[in-house]
């Protein structure tokens, strides 16, 4: 089939994408600097003749040949992307320029993974792609949010100036096996806390909402978006079922059967109050919508954490 470059391929989403592309028969070049990704995520792929791993940081130019590029390189958890905010900005800006330059040289099509964070703390609900967002450009999340907004702008402008075939997806909170158990995101935190018998750390009053998509559904959306010839996006990809963090905590307790209690911790600054994708566009353009409900997806994630973290 095709030679496909996946940046951030050793991360949570990237590893699932590499696996899916290899299963389809593609040649996959996985590029990662292992900042938030892990070798364990891709160890099972290393023996595959169609899989190649390159330790590389996309902030530096990369010279490989590919027909398609999925650009996922960027830490995604607030704890990880706030660890070195300037590096996060460089990855989404300088790194994006390098990837688009590579695409220009190879005439490759690029799918860029943007985020619901471009909507900030949204005043429009649910969020449609034509909403411009409500982002604090100076706050602790700005290194990620503004970096991703510049990356979208770079994609559109390389498309207009050089005819690069870009595809932009805006991902809403996604979870599943291989999400780093220590990366601080809410699903991995709650599951690990439940399995350890610790209190679940609900931040603030727990009434803030998110919409959780299972990883397999999201990867199908990536591939459908890459393969369609009609438009560059952006297209929202996420599960339109919205839950409060209290509801998520209760679902985790039910699925794990844990005796943990729901505890409280301070709400981080600029934490968005609500988030839910309008996926009308994805349904029409990609014939895509999520299939896996929250409790089924959580059960798969719990099984993964039990096996890899607790050996049972
Ligand atoms: P992740 O942190 O598990 O994966 C990101 C990968 O990129 C890691 O393997 C990391 O080591 C690598 N990386 C980071 N900076 C790099 C650099 N400069 N050069 C090379 N590699 C680099 O996160 P994820 O959840 O798999 O997210 C993947 C992409 O999807 C990210 O771009 C993220 O912004 C986007 N996204 C994810 C979600 C989600 O809910 N998972 C939501 C919105 C957007
Ligand atoms: N959250 C929480 N407890 C945690 C981690 C996160 O209540 O241990 C909340 C957080 O305040 C936010 C939501 O869960 O409202 C999602 O947080 P996450 O870091 O997973 O992703 P975000 O959507 O904020 O980028």
């Amino acid at each position: 089939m095709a030679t496909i470059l996946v940046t951030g391929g050793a991360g949570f989403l990237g590893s699932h994408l590499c696996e899916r592309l290899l299963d389809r028969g593609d040649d996959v070049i996985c590029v990662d600097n292992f900042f938030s990704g892990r070798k364990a995520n891709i160890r099972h792929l290393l023996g595959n003749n169609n899989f190649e791993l390159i330790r590389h940081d996309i902030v530096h130019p990369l010279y490989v040949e590919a027909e398609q590029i999925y650009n996922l390189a960027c830490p995604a958890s607030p704890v990880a992307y706030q660890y070195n905010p300037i590096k996060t900005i460089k990855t989404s800006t300088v790194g994006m320029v390098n990837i688009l330059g590579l695409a220009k040289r190879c005439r490759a099509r690029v799918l860029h993974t943007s985020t619901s964070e471009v909507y900030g703390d949204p005043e429009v609900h649910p969020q449609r792609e034509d909403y411009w967002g409500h982002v604090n450009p100076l706050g602790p999340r700005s290194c990620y949010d503004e970096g991703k907004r510049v990356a979208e702008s770079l994609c559109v402008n390389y498309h207009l100036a050089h005819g690069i075939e870009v595809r932009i997806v805006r991902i809403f909170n996604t979870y599943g096996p291989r999400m780093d158990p220590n990366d601080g995101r809410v699903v991995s935190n709650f599951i690990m806390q439940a399995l350890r018998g610790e209190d679940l750390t609900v931040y603030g009053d727990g009434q803030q909402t998110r919409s959780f998509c299972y990883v397999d559904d999201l990867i199908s959306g990536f591939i459908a978006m890459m393969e369609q010839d009609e438009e560059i996006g952006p297209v929202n990809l996420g599960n339109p079922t919205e839950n409060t963090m209290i509801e998520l905590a209760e679902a985790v307790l039910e699925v794990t059967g844990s005796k943990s209690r729901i505890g409280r911790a301070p709400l981080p600054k600029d934490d968005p109050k609500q988030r839910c994708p309008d996926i009308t566009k994805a349904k029409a353009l990609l014939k895509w919508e999520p299939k896996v409900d929250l409790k089924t997806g959580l059960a798969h994630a719990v099984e993964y954490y039990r096996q890899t973290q607790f050996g049972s």
Side-chain angles (χ1 to χ4, degrees):
M1 297 264 292
T3 300
I4 304 182
L5 172 64
V6 178
T7 75
F12 160 49
L13 299 179
S15 63
H16 286 273
L17 176 62
C18 289
E19 201 172 272
R20 190 80 77 86
L21 297 172
L22 288 167
D23 285 349
R24 208 176 63 164
D26 295 305
D27 266 323
V28 174
I29 305 171
C30 166
V31 161
D32 207 296
N33 70 349
F34 293 104
F35 172 67
S36 52
R38 296 175 296 153
K39 277 209 185 128
N41 288 343
I42 46 157
R43 191 160 282 130
H44 62 296
L45 305 178
L46 292 174
N48 188 319
N49 288 337
N50 293 339
F51 183 73
E52 193 179 339
L53 171 65
I54 304 175
R55 181 188 282 263
H56 176 83
D57 190 315
I58 64 158
V59 166
H60 303 290
L62 174 67
Y63 294 90
V64 297
E65 310 301 319
E67 290 142 77
Q68 292 183 350
I69 304 169
Y70 286 87
N71 186 41
L72 279 70
C74 185
S77 114
V79 174
Y81 69 63
Q82 289 171 28
Y83 175 78
N84 184 344
I86 296 169
K87 181 60 194 264
T88 300
I89 296 172
K90 281 190 188 169
T91 295
S92 286
T93 56
V94 180
M96 188 81 241
V97 169
N98 286 331
I99 294 305
L100 289 163
L102 171 59
K104 184 166 164 242
R105 180 174 55 76
C106 298
R107 308 306 300 173
R109 184 178 283 188
V110 183
L111 180 141
H112 173 63
T113 55
S114 189
T115 167
S116 54
E117 282 288 316
V118 300
Y119 301 123
D121 190 4
E123 293 159 311
V124 168
H125 198 70
Q127 292 81 54
R128 283 166 39 124
E129 291 85 348
D130 55 7
Y131 175 50
W132 291 354
H134 181 229
V135 171
N136 176 356
L138 304 176
R141 300 174 83 101
S142 67
C143 59
Y144 183 71
D145 301 9
E146 297 292 17
K148 289 284 189 177
R149 287 166 70 99
V150 172
E152 287 197 12
S153 176
L154 283 166
C155 286
V156 169
N157 283 297
Y158 265 74
H159 172 70
L160 294 174
H162 300 298
I164 306 300
E165 290 195 44
V166 295
R167 302 287 181 267
I168 302 168
V169 291
R170 290 181 178 157
I171 307 168
F172 285 65
N173 298 61
T174 300
Y175 69 99
R178 300 198 201 122
M179 187 179 220
D180 187 328
N182 303 309
D183 81 357
R185 285 187 267 190
V186 67
V187 175
S188 45
N189 269 10
F190 283 0
I191 294 177
M192 291 299 292
Q193 289 159 349
L195 294 179
R196 290 188 183 122
E198 299 166 358
D199 285 3
L200 273 54
T201 52
V202 168
Y203 296 165
D205 64 7
Q207 293 307 312
Q208 70 271 36
T209 66
R210 295 293 186 271
S211 306
F212 295 100
C213 184
Y214 186 64
V215 59
D216 288 355
D217 283 332
L218 186 80
I219 301 299
S220 302
F222 282 3
I223 293 173
M225 182 66 181
M226 178 66 106
E227 301 299 335
Q228 59 80 30
D229 294 321
E230 278 171 55
E231 71 155 285
I232 69 169
V235 173
N236 288 338
L237 293 180
N239 192 317
T241 307
E242 189 179 356
N243 289 106
T244 64
M245 293 312 100
I246 293 283
E247 287 167 350
L248 176 69
E250 286 165 348
V252 168
L253 291 180
E254 186 186 323
V255 171
T256 52
S258 168
K259 300 262 182 300
S260 289
R261 289 172 311 175
I262 296 180
R264 294 296 155 101
L267 187 69
K269 186 173 177 328
D270 291 348
D271 198 276
K273 284 181 273 311
Q274 53 182 4
R275 203 186 272 157
C276 179
D278 181 323
I279 59 164
T280 309
K281 198 168 170 184
K283 281 184 179 165
L285 180 69
L286 311 176
K287 313 283 174 278
W288 175 88
E289 63 183 311
K291 296 191 173 70
V292 181
D293 67 80
L294 183 63
K295 285 190 186 150
T296 306
L298 285 177
H300 293 311
V302 167
E303 191 187 333
Y304 166 79
Y305 291 117
R306 276 206 171 108
Q307 279 175 12
T308 58
Q309 305 300 311
F310 299 90
S312 58

